[in-house]
Amino acid sequence: MRVSLEWLKDYVDIDLDPQELAERLTMAGTAVEGVERLGGGLEGLLVGRVLEVRPHPDADRLSVCKVDFGGQGVEIVCGAPNVRPGMLAPVAPPGVRLPDGSAIGEVTIRGVSSHGMLLSERELGISDEAAGIMELEGDLEPGASLARALEIEDTVLVLEITPNRPDCLCMLGIAREVSALTGAPLRKPSFVLREIDPPAAEDVLVEILDPDLCSRYCARLIEGLTIGASPWWMRRRLRAAGVRPINNVVDITNYVMLELGQPLHAFDYELVTDGHIIVRRASAGERMVTLDGVERALSTDELLICDPKGPVALAGVMGGEHTEINAGTTRVLLESAHFDPANIMRTSRTLGLSSEASYRFERGVDPSGCARAADRAAFLMDELAGGKVRRGVVDARAREISSSRLTLRVERAARFIGIPLREQDARAILESLELKVKESRCGEQGTVLEVEVPTFRPDLEREIDLVEEIARIYGYDRVPSTLPSSAHKVGMLTPGQKCRREAARVLAGLGLSEAVTVSFISERWLDRLDPSRAVFPEDPVRLRNPLSEDGAVLRPSLLPGLLEALRFNVNRRLSDVSLFEMGRAFLPLAGEAQPREPLLVACAMTGNWVPKQWDGAAQPVDFFTVKGVLERLAAALHVPGLTLVREELPFLHPSQSCRVRVGEASAGYLGLLHPRVCDEVDLPRNTAVMEIEFAPLEEAREEPYYREVPRHPALHMDLAVVVGEEVDAEELEEAIREAGGELLYEVRLFDLYRGEQLGEGKKSLAFNLVFCAMDRTLTDEEARKYFDRIVKALGAGFGARLRA
Amino acid sequence: MTSDETRGDDPGMREIELLREEAEAALAGAGSSADLEEARVNLLGRKGRLTALLQGIKDLPPDKKRMVGMQANLLKDWLEKALEERGEELRRRELDAELRAEKVDVTLPGRHLPFGTRHLVSAIIEEIEDIFIGMGYRVAEGPEVELDYYNFEALNTPHWHPSKSLQDTFYVDASASGREDVLLRTHTSPVQIRVMEATTPPLYVIAPGKAYRHDVPDATHSPMFHQVEGLAVDEGITLGDLKGTLEHFARRMFGEDRAVRFRPHFFPFTEPSAEVDVSCVICGGEGCRVCKGTGWLEILGAGMVDPNVFGYVGYDTEKFSGFAFGMGVERIAMLKYGIPDIRYLFDNDLRFLAQF
């Protein structure tokens, strides 16, 4: 909402400068988004009187004017068709600049010298009107400052009005706020309306057929109008408010809407059949052409203003083209009504059509103000357009309008806000907003005020709404800052939340950077990774109204997002990328409205794990890189029961693909991305991924418990065995542990070797074994005994032989 | 008795004197530990000359035995000590030379060690969590796919509210369950309702998480973003408590010298409501492009929990009051670190991620 301060001062005196006023309004809930100064750039421009006009001796379209702008008349060559002797017009004397920056000099036009320029509104930068020079009105002195004469120097506050405050969508409402904040009295527009007989009701009939959508419809009849331009002051104010002037009658309806907040509509009475207004829902498929020239198909959700022949306006949104005010209009049927806010909002949204009127009706217009606004507009039509106002308002009411009453417990309000508040303070604030304190009583609850709420404040429905008004006008900035005094506060993270933080820290510490990817993905990703939907749900969670098909599915896995992030980097020549993400996935639950949203942690790595360095080779990412990440993570989180089991997943390399298990349950997967997928999505073949669900991991955590650290020297022995390729390292290690018994403290595989001398299908695995006893120093013989026992067990179990 | 006389007197004594002179020269002349060792062997070795002299003492006449024996032993003691000292010095010098030969270019880059970063959004959420944990809050969570009831209705949002439209809210296809009221939460506020349904006051919680709005991505809009919601319900909570809490938060988050202001505003689920501004992190309040000349940056929305909301969860509005607040994590990140485009946060470009 744009508020001209020049206009606002009609209703309230303002001593503050515009910045201070903006600050006060902002701090009372009416945010000022901008302060615009109007009329800048007119310095040096003057009011001129055209004394004589004669044709240019050498150009048909030009005339030579003698213009007085203080002093002797000077000659100015002008091309405007509307220039005539006696008129007042803006002049730019030589040497000044126009608002667009161009300089005016003395020029000779086809042999006649021109000492200045007569200006159009467009040249002044105040409108797009360029057909002729601007005609000034009123009793102006030639040579006077144009800016002052036009009263165009003004400041406009651009306000953000919150949706709960429809009363602030007009000058009077803003003036009321200013009055409440500064204490300056509010001046409502006062006027005396002259009416003529016979009463309007003899020629106007209003019927409301759908009272649920229209509670009141006031109509007035004004005759004898002459359509023309509005006076300058009104056009100026409309423009300052951002409304384009059209003609006097239409301008008056807009002006009164801006002044009082009540949208009005003027019909050409002659075009409304029988002067009969019928307010009803559209019938299905009914059509009408609105003022903007668009034919609209309607449904029974839309409310229409009709005459007996058909629609004349889309109620509360836009008038009809057929009954529009035109140059020949002399009689006007003026509408001032109240429509259901929700219905207007729906209509406006459905049709994609909004207007100053619909904007106000959506938020709620004061139903008590209809007749007064009609009177005000009728008065101005009399004053400014020669109208004769027929007696009376035709006032159709679907129901009675009553103001509501609320109670306010003063001490409670004070406690709730946290301020000292006396009864008279509360009363003064409420009354400054035109709320009437009807009664005050003292009882068990302290001081209780009975407050009557005016109908222009539909947002005040409960005691808390009054408390808000008190706090707002009192000033939030004056409320002392405190902290809740309760002792019932124990701030902490749950063990699960701590575990997640730890996991993220561990992964970052291992060299993976955390990514955050968008939760919706393209379904193509699922087709690509898992065409037969062996892993991901066949019917993933879908959006009904995605922004595009690329984001139509809620991710069942973090993998698509991470792979896209890898590709984003690889495409930018960042070839070594290791990312992880922690976030929710969405898995449909049969029969449930909401999906399951497991928290997942996923990693995706490609390129080199360690880049080529000045004294070392690069270490490319492979299966064991990501396996190492998982092992570190499990160790750091104290999840001992985590295992990998071979399982072919459709998007993983068939021989480097594992299921991650916690205990017996699956928690996710890990492996090298299938080369087919790598090729399809343009990623290097050495891309490794893992994804695990957090909950089972969290549940399987075990608090570490002290395990004795050996105090006696340990014996280190290396064991290298040759086995068939089919033997798993893990099996061997388990067998070693079993055979090694209690004295075997640690086993670590440190070498894997394949070579001709071992023979086809054979490999050698070397383990470092650490033997020790907790109560004594082991002898070589003792350790050797267990070593031999291990060798024997491996031989028996796996055909292993010691490597020579 | 002079040494000349001593030397002149006795060939034994003269030899001792000679050996001493030789030893002194050998010690001084030894350029390395090896030279020194050679000198030692030469004098004190099994076949060394001093060793031989000492072995010959027993054959001397008794009157010389004492004098020569004493002098020879003195020489031996002195020599052993001198060898040790000189050896120490040579070893030190040799080690030093050795180390100097091991010169490296210390300006070469350090060994590559794994290095990853937390995402800025996560880091800020943790920072916010920690500030509120310090004030006695716990961290709550709720589903991202929500029901209209939790996202709108129980938060006192009228059924016709424009934010519910298909142009503003993502709806989830739940036709299999026969429902049309399933959506991606448009804010983290539904967690308020879920927490209040599950617990009784007093409660102090914050709820970080993702939220979604049907916005085409541009520099300041992303269809997915993160919020942190806060809720405190207790006996006697005041608007002043809300102010104090958020001022504390804003100063911890943006700097102790930040000014904080509360402007009345409107939200359906709080009353009275406020928008909270901090003095601009760029210009400090002078007015600049970032704060659009106002000197203030809006960082969160807040208010006292609307009694209607308490009505939905069955809290006694006469007994309890509370406040709630919500803030956009990306907005805070962008303001604090001068990030010009929200989309950069979700590109996951390593060159971006590595900066924070």
Side-chain angles (χ1 to χ4, degrees):
Chain A
M1 161 109 178
R2 296 171 56 88
V3 172
S4 147
L5 292 189
E6 179 274 330
W7 187 357
L8 189 64
K9 286 174 184 171
D10 278 7
Y11 315 108
V12 65
D13 291 334
I14 298 170
D15 291 334
L16 306 169
D17 74 35
Q19 282 302 339
E20 287 170 340
L21 179 66
E23 174 78 13
R24 293 285 281 276
L25 283 169
T26 296
M27 294 307 286
T30 306
V32 178
E33 292 177 326
V35 178
E36 288 178 19
R37 312 229 176 242
L38 299 187
L42 299 188
E43 297 79 12
L45 302 183
L46 304 173
V47 174
R49 180 181 297 282
V50 180
L51 301 175
E52 292 168 17
V53 179
R54 61 182 170 89
H56 190 287
D58 198 23
D60 292 346
R61 300 236 172 116
L62 299 179
S63 38
V64 180
C65 313
K66 193 168 181 195
V67 182
D68 167 18
F69 46 91
Q72 303 298 315
V74 297
E75 285 199 331
I76 292 175
V77 176
C78 175
N82 66 333
V83 66
R84 59 171 205 282
M87 80 186 287
L88 289 168
V91 188
V96 305
R97 284 183 181 277
L98 297 184
D100 69 2
S102 56
I104 300 301
E106 307 232 2
V107 290
T108 300
I109 302 169
R110 296 205 172 202
V112 180
S113 54
S114 180
H115 307 277
M117 186 175 173
L118 290 165
L119 305 165
S120 69
E121 292 188 9
R122 184 157 79 189
E123 284 153 346
L124 290 169
I126 56 181
S127 84
D128 287 336
E129 187 55 59
I133 56 172
M134 181 183 185
E135 183 152 9
L136 302 175
E137 295 152 12
D139 188 19
L140 301 176
E141 197 62 35
S145 151
L146 181 69
R148 204 163 312 139
L150 288 176
E151 292 181 317
I152 202 170
E153 286 186 351
D154 194 359
T155 302
V156 170
L157 302 185
V158 184
L159 306 180
E160 180 201 354
I161 308 295
T162 52
N164 60 326
R165 294 299 302 276
D167 63 300
C168 284
L169 292 173
C170 65
M171 302 302 293
L172 193 64
I174 298 300
R176 190 181 293 113
E177 286 287 302
V178 173
S179 162
L181 293 171
T182 64
L186 182 68
R187 282 187 301 271
K188 296 190 182 180
S190 70
F191 54 90
V192 179
L193 182 64
R194 290 175 298 179
E195 295 180 308
I196 61 162
D197 280 320
E202 289 190 9
D203 292 304
V204 174
L205 175 63
V206 176
E207 277 184 284
I208 302 177
L209 300 185
D210 285 300
D212 55 326
L213 301 185
C214 174
S215 62
R216 189 178 184 190
Y217 195 105
C218 293
R220 266 197 175 273
L221 183 57
I222 300 104
E223 306 176 332
L225 292 158
T226 307
I227 301 297
S230 300
W232 166 246
W233 63 264
M234 181 175 279
R235 285 187 286 144
R236 180 173 51 70
R237 286 183 170 184
L238 289 175
R239 282 207 191 95
V243 174
R244 192 166 60 91
I246 300 194
N247 61 48
N248 47 8
V249 167
V250 173
D251 289 354
I252 286 167
T253 60
N254 285 330
Y255 184 84
V256 173
M257 172 183 72
L258 294 170
E259 182 181 52
L260 303 178
Q262 168 69 52
L264 302 172
H265 186 68
F267 297 100
D268 185 325
Y269 177 79
E270 314 303 339
L271 304 175
V272 177
T273 307
D274 303 335
H276 185 177
I277 293 289
I278 302 155
V279 185
R280 61 161 173 84
R281 282 183 163 85
S283 43
E286 196 167 4
R287 306 179 87 85
M288 78 167 292
V289 180
T290 42
L291 271 177
D292 51 7
V294 177
E295 185 176 31
R296 295 172 189 280
L298 308 167
S299 76
T300 54
D301 289 328
E302 279 96 48
L303 187 70
L304 292 179
I305 311 301
C306 303
D307 69 7
K309 284 187 179 161
V312 293
L314 190 57
V317 180
M318 194 173 271
E321 191 176 57
H322 174 61
T323 50
E324 190 179 358
I325 301 300
N326 55 72
T329 300
T330 59
R331 287 214 278 184
V332 158
L333 192 159
L334 181 70
E335 165 197 294
S336 178
H338 183 266
F339 301 111
D340 176 58
N343 177 256
I344 300 293
M345 178 177 294
R346 169 200 279 266
T347 299
S348 170
R349 286 222 151 209
T350 314
L351 299 180
L353 182 64
S354 64
S355 61
E356 293 277 346
S358 67
Y359 182 68
R360 286 171 173 78
F361 280 123
E362 278 173 14
R363 284 164 169 75
V365 159
D366 178 11
S368 308
C370 298
R372 181 73 180 164
D375 290 352
R376 175 71 172 158
F379 167 78
L380 289 172
M381 288 187 194
D382 176 347
E383 288 278 298
L384 305 177
K388 304 279 175 278
V389 182
R390 292 279 296 271
R391 184 169 310 286
V393 172
V394 179
D395 190 351
R397 292 188 193 210
R399 53 187 169 269
E400 274 318 300
I401 300 144
S402 56
S403 50
S404 56
R405 279 207 176 197
L406 297 174
T407 58
L408 176 74
R409 290 167 286 175
V410 176
E411 285 80 6
R412 186 168 192 275
R415 272 200 309 279
F416 186 82
I417 302 170
I419 52 169
L421 184 73
R422 295 167 303 174
E423 180 192 345
Q424 60 263 42
D425 303 328
R427 186 186 279 269
I429 288 173
L430 297 172
E431 285 174 348
S432 74
L433 293 163
E434 286 194 73
L435 310 186
K436 292 192 184 68
V437 178
K438 290 293 190 185
E439 196 191 321
S440 147
R441 46 172 203 276
C442 240
E444 270 178 28
Q445 307 209 312
T447 311
V448 178
L449 303 183
E450 287 285 333
V451 181
E452 187 182 290
V453 178
T455 51
F456 60 77
R457 289 300 301 270
D459 58 316
L460 305 184
E461 299 175 313
R462 304 163 298 165
E463 184 182 22
I464 190 70
D465 301 321
L466 297 180
V467 173
E468 177 176 48
E469 292 304 287
I470 303 267
R472 197 169 67 79
I473 301 298
Y474 181 89
Y476 285 9
D477 46 345
R478 289 171 62 207
V479 175
S481 297
T482 50
L483 287 172
S485 56
S486 168
H488 304 284
K489 292 184 296 184
V490 181
M492 60 180 189
L493 292 172
T494 62
Q497 289 163 346
K498 278 190 204 155
C499 172
R500 279 176 247 167
R501 279 194 180 191
E502 181 63 20
R505 232 162 260 148
V506 168
L507 291 170
L510 290 173
L512 294 94
S513 287
E514 188 181 13
V516 175
T517 70
V518 179
S519 305
F520 14 83
I521 59 167
S522 163
E523 190 155 6
R524 276 200 313 275
W525 264 111
L526 302 183
D527 296 336
R528 200 181 273 151
L529 293 174
D530 185 16
S532 62
R533 296 296 159 84
V535 179
F536 300 131
E538 206 163 304
D539 207 6
V541 184
R542 290 189 177 85
L543 292 178
R544 263 159 56 196
N545 56 335
L547 283 172
S548 76
E549 278 308 307
D550 285 342
V553 166
L554 289 181
R555 60 183 184 189
S557 154
L558 310 188
L559 207 51
L562 278 179
L563 292 179
E564 277 199 32
L566 286 195
R567 187 165 56 175
F568 183 96
N569 283 287
V570 168
N571 285 348
R572 282 159 187 74
R573 307 252 168 155
L574 300 159
S575 49
D576 303 336
V577 198
S578 292
L579 298 174
F580 76 96
E581 180 171 12
M582 293 175 68
R584 306 256 185 90
F586 304 86
L587 302 172
L589 280 176
E592 295 287 329
Q594 288 165 277
R596 191 167 85 83
E597 294 184 20
L599 182 74
L600 305 179
V601 54
C603 303
M605 312 171 80
T606 192
N608 291 321
W609 166 238
V610 175
K612 162 94 182 73
Q613 300 180 71
W614 52 269
D615 71 338
Q619 294 179 36
V621 166
D622 62 12
F623 175 88
F624 296 100
T625 318
V626 72
K627 182 175 177 184
V629 168
L630 180 66
E631 285 171 348
R632 283 287 96 219
L633 184 66
L637 299 182
H638 304 293
V639 184
L642 198 128
T643 48
L644 291 186
V645 185
R646 281 199 186 86
E647 183 180 331
E648 278 184 41
L649 297 184
F651 46 90
L652 296 180
H653 187 297
S655 57
Q656 300 186 40
S657 168
C658 287
R659 193 50 89 172
V660 178
R661 283 209 186 142
V662 175
E664 288 304 300
S666 163
Y669 54 81
L670 179 151
L672 205 58
L673 199 63
H674 198 294
R676 168 184 57 81
V677 178
C678 296
D679 293 351
E680 270 180 49
V681 302
D682 277 339
L683 282 171
R685 291 268 179 111
N686 69 324
T687 298
V689 296
M690 74 165 202
E691 179 164 56
I692 47 176
E693 195 175 327
F694 225 89
L697 214 60
E698 257 176 60
E699 278 168 32
R701 295 187 79 189
E702 282 180 15
E703 277 295 310
Y705 192 80
Y706 171 70
R707 178 190 174 201
E708 199 171 357
V709 177
R711 288 166 193 287
H712 299 276
L715 284 163
H716 290 246
M717 304 177 95
D718 287 346
L719 165 68
V721 288
V722 178
V723 292
E725 280 289 359
E726 72 289 350
V727 177
D728 280 352
E730 201 173 55
E731 293 177 293
L732 280 180
E733 191 180 317
E734 273 168 27
I736 291 170
R737 283 185 194 285
E738 201 171 313
E742 273 191 2
L743 297 180
L744 182 61
Y745 187 74
E746 208 173 278
V747 181
R748 192 175 67 84
L749 184 130
F750 71 93
D751 190 39
L752 167 65
Y753 175 78
R754 293 183 178 90
E756 269 177 35
Q757 65 269 47
L758 295 181
E760 185 79 2
K762 296 282 182 190
K763 62 185 175 187
S764 157
L765 296 167
F767 296 86
N768 181 254
L769 311 181
V770 179
F771 291 97
C772 65
M774 292 301 163
D775 54 353
R776 63 189 192 284
T777 301
L778 276 190
T779 60
D780 281 347
E781 293 69 42
E782 251 182 307
R784 175 60 61 185
K785 202 171 82 192
Y786 284 98
F787 186 88
D788 293 344
R789 187 183 288 180
I790 290 167
V791 172
K792 210 163 153 194
L794 297 186
F798 306 96
R801 57 177 168 80
L802 274 181
R803 190 173 159 205
Chain B
M1 190 169 69
T2 67
S3 62
D4 276 342
E5 284 165 329
T6 316
R7 204 181 294 158
D9 274 0
D10 193 295
M13 294 302 276
R14 204 174 307 128
E15 197 180 347
I16 288 173
E17 195 52 37
L18 213 62
L19 275 177
R20 174 188 290 276
E21 277 167 23
E22 259 179 56
E24 273 172 2
L27 280 170
S32 66
S33 302
D35 292 352
L36 195 68
E37 177 63 10
E38 197 184 316
R40 188 190 67 77
V41 171
N42 204 13
L43 292 162
L44 283 176
R46 211 149 45 81
K47 294 175 180 166
R49 293 169 55 202
L50 184 54
T51 310
L53 184 90
L54 285 164
Q55 280 166 355
I57 288 170
K58 63 177 188 306
D59 305 325
L60 288 176
D63 60 326
K64 306 250 165 143
K65 207 184 251 180
R66 202 178 66 88
M67 176 65 84
V68 174
M70 193 180 76
Q71 288 299 328
N73 276 306
L74 274 176
L75 176 61
K76 187 187 175 213
D77 290 349
W78 168 82
L79 184 59
E80 278 175 343
K81 195 162 174 249
L83 276 169
E84 192 176 313
E85 276 169 11
R86 179 67 181 148
E88 184 66 28
E89 190 194 329
L90 284 172
R91 277 194 298 280
R92 202 162 44 232
R93 210 188 289 165
E94 280 158 10
L95 177 64
D96 193 53
E98 208 173 295
L99 295 182
R100 283 185 192 284
E102 291 171 8
K103 186 171 190 288
V104 296
D105 176 1
V106 296
T107 66
L108 282 169
R111 194 87 58 215
H112 178 92
L113 298 173
F115 171 75
T117 50
R118 297 297 307 281
H119 193 277
L120 185 53
V121 164
S122 307
I124 290 198
I125 287 175
E126 268 193 25
E127 193 176 348
I128 296 170
E129 283 175 352
D130 287 342
I131 294 172
F132 282 98
I133 288 169
M135 286 196 277
Y137 288 65
R138 301 189 191 202
V139 179
E141 288 155 78
E144 293 173 23
V145 174
E146 259 299 0
L147 303 176
D148 177 285
Y149 177 81
Y150 290 98
N151 195 73
F152 292 120
E153 187 181 344
L155 289 162
N156 203 33
T157 311
H159 65 90
W160 46 262
H161 199 276
S163 67
K164 298 177 66 166
S165 79
L166 288 164
Q167 285 80 46
D168 290 299
T169 299
F170 286 111
Y171 283 87
V172 169
D173 181 1
S175 46
S177 65
R179 299 183 68 145
E180 297 206 332
D181 59 343
V182 187
L183 46 82
L184 282 176
R185 66 181 178 192
T186 60
H187 45 188
T188 43
S189 308
V191 184
Q192 285 184 32
I193 305 299
R194 292 191 174 271
V195 167
M196 287 194 280
E197 277 185 349
T199 42
T200 52
L203 60 93
Y204 294 83
V205 293
I206 59 163
K210 289 187 170 78
Y212 303 86
R213 285 187 200 162
H214 203 272
D215 287 325
V216 175
D218 64 22
T220 53
H221 295 85
S222 169
M224 181 189 88
F225 55 98
H226 295 76
Q227 286 191 328
V228 177
E229 189 78 11
L231 175 70
V233 184
D234 207 336
E235 289 180 46
I237 294 274
T238 70
L239 183 64
D241 290 341
L242 172 62
K243 271 188 75 179
T245 300
L246 293 181
E247 278 171 9
H248 176 81
F249 162 73
R251 299 211 168 104
R252 289 282 306 275
M253 194 76 199
F254 292 99
E256 292 299 325
D257 52 351
R258 288 270 94 78
V260 182
R261 73 172 187 181
F262 289 71
R263 285 180 288 110
H265 197 70
F266 170 76
F267 301 110
F269 37 94
T270 51
E271 178 130 355
S273 302
E275 280 189 332
V276 183
D277 302 336
V278 292
S279 52
C280 180
V281 295
I282 305 296
C283 64
E286 297 288 311
C288 68
R289 200 177 49 79
V290 171
C291 60
K292 299 193 183 84
T294 63
W296 295 98
L297 297 170
E298 181 203 324
I299 52 155
L300 46 75
M304 302 298 286
V305 180
D306 193 290
N308 288 357
V309 173
F310 281 158
Y312 277 102
V313 297
Y315 280 11
D316 180 354
T317 55
E318 288 299 312
K319 188 171 176 200
F320 295 109
S321 56
F323 60 71
F325 54 85
M327 62 190 100
V329 177
E330 284 81 1
R331 178 168 169 78
I332 291 175
M334 291 167 78
L335 290 176
K336 223 178 147 170
Y337 298 97
I339 298 162
D341 192 319
I342 192 170
R343 289 168 294 191
Y344 297 172
L345 287 161
F346 305 117
D347 282 345
N348 300 302
D349 187 319
L350 280 178
R351 294 164 297 184
F352 177 88
L353 297 178
Q355 292 177 30
F356 305 102

